[in-house]
Amino acid sequence: MRNVIRDYFLAASQLRDPKLWKPVLWAILLSLGTIFLMVLLVGGLLFQFVENLNSSLTGWMSWADGWLGGLAAVFGSLFIAIVGYFFLASVYAAFLGLFLDSALDAVQQEHYPESVWEKPPSMVESSISSIRFILWSLVIYLICSPLLLVAFFIPPLGLLLQILLGGYLLGREFGQIIEHRIPRELRIRKPGSVLHGAIASFFWMFPLLNFIAPMLLATSLVHARLRQLKTI
């Protein structure tokens, strides 16, 4: 735990570097646009579901026609908003990953100039990796949605589940991005850190701080991985 805190402290101390902010700005713009489109799509599907529910109740439960449909709409919207907010972390992280290499280079050059550091992958490879991460995150959230729905009514459990789920996804994604910059013969099969990711997932819950949380995670993982290589 001490090393994780140290990694985050070093990552935060380098936020003064402009190279770390350009990827953040691009990721914010692209993520907000994507989430807006997703809200329109999911909102339309939810509206259609409520309409169908009202139609099915008209014949045999007309007394529940209005309030039951309204209840489904309210709880459905609230649940989608909560899950969507945390899923936004995955979308944001995927877009951040497209522009992250300059920030990773800045950390490596300032703190570990003697380390062997591979060239970044092409934009095509980064785009494929980001799309794969978004799809994988969507699958994980869909699989876990029943558990998230139950945990929604038990706030501490729901919060802990969201942090761990986000920590796994974010730690795994940024760990793989960083591993591509490590010489092939030194790469590990399961890069990343759930603990590093869980801290970023916790930071994600706070407005404004959430926009720099993935960047802090990525740069802290650079410290963790390159420090590990120094001991080999």
Side-chain angles (χ1 to χ4, degrees), residues 149-170:
L149 182 59
V150 174
F152 170 71
F153 297 98
I154 313 173
L157 179 60
L159 185 62
L160 179 62
L161 184 60
Q162 291 284 8
I163 290 175
L164 291 177
L165 191 59
Y168 161 73
L169 290 169
L170 293 174

Side-chain angles (χ1 to χ4, degrees), residues 40-117:
L40 290 180
L41 176 62
V42 174
L45 293 175
L46 182 62
F47 177 79
Q48 187 63 45
F49 168 76
V50 173
E51 285 291 306
N52 293 336
L53 180 63
N54 286 335
S55 298
S56 65
L57 292 175
T58 300
W60 58 284
M61 284 184 65
S62 56
W63 57 272
D65 189 358
W67 68 266
L68 194 56
L71 198 63
V74 169
F75 277 100
S77 299
L78 188 59
F79 177 69
I80 289 171
I82 293 173
V83 174
Y85 180 75
F86 281 91
F87 179 64
L88 173 61
S90 297
V91 176
Y92 179 79
F95 282 125
L96 185 67
L98 293 176
F99 311 99
L100 193 60
D101 288 302
S102 61
L104 302 183
D105 290 339
V107 175
Q108 184 267 336
Q109 290 165 10
E110 179 167 338
H111 295 277
Y112 311 94
E114 75 288 352
S115 64
V116 181
W117 194 239

Side-chain angles (χ1 to χ4, degrees), residues 121-193:
S122 66
M123 180 58 71
V124 173
E125 291 177 293
S126 297
S127 300
I128 293 174
S129 177
S130 294
I131 293 171
R132 185 169 56 243
F133 173 62
I134 291 177
L135 293 176
W136 174 245
S137 299
L138 183 59
V139 169
I140 292 296
Y141 272 103
L142 288 175
I143 292 174
C144 295
S145 58
L147 186 58
L148 289 171
L149 182 59
V150 174
F152 170 71
F153 297 98
I154 313 173
L157 179 60
L159 185 62
L160 179 62
L161 184 60
Q162 291 284 8
I163 290 175
L164 291 177
L165 191 59
Y168 161 73
L169 290 169
L170 293 174
R172 179 178 181 270
E173 169 64 7
F174 285 118
Q176 290 179 341
I177 290 175
I178 293 165
E179 205 64 22
H180 284 134
R181 308 299 304 275
I182 304 297
R184 187 174 298 274
E185 64 275 10
L186 297 176
R187 293 177 188 175
I188 56 179
R189 291 186 60 185
K190 294 182 178 181
S193 164

Side-chain angles (χ1 to χ4, degrees), residues 30-45 95:
L30 292 171
S31 299
L32 291 178
T34 301
I35 292 299
F36 177 73
L37 294 176
M38 290 180 64
V39 167
L40 290 180
L41 176 62
V42 174
L45 293 175
F95 282 125

